[in-house]
Amino acid sequence: IDKYGNSPLHCAAKIGHNKIGELLINAGANINQFNHAYELPFDLAIRSGQDAFILFFLKTELKLGVKKNPIDLEGYY
């Protein structure tokens, strides 16, 4: 965790590194962990324009059975 509360998964999401994100999630990284600005890794991926990571993350959430995101993501953000 860095001084901003970003986990390694936050950093992978911000730069769009899908392989690292996958490794971290498979190792048990918490996809629902907030940083100090109350941002999830998914939020950082959106803010950074990491479309490929966003799609990867959504597929991962489906595999994990997480149903947290609203149906209309574009309208939500």
Side-chain angles (χ1 to χ4, degrees):
I1 305 286
D2 67 12
K3 66 181 181 179
Y4 304 107
N6 291 319
S7 68
L9 186 56
H10 281 91
C11 297
K14 186 175 181 177
I15 62 172
H17 208 302
N18 297 10
K19 295 286 185 191
I20 297 296
E22 184 176 5
L23 287 171
L24 290 168
I25 290 169
N26 288 336
N30 183 358
I31 63 173
N32 295 313
Q33 181 177 351
F34 290 100
N35 63 14
H36 295 321
Y38 299 102
E39 297 171 309
L40 297 169
F42 186 72
D43 298 327
L44 287 179
I46 290 173
R47 192 162 49 89
S48 301
Q50 300 297 342
D51 295 338
F53 194 92
I54 293 166
L55 292 174
F56 154 74
F57 202 84
L58 289 172
K59 289 176 187 175
T60 299
E61 283 187 331
L62 289 174
K63 283 187 208 171
L64 294 175
V66 175
K67 181 106 169 105
K68 187 174 173 185
N69 292 319
I71 294 171
D72 178 18
L73 285 175
E74 186 175 322
Y76 179 73
Y77 287 96

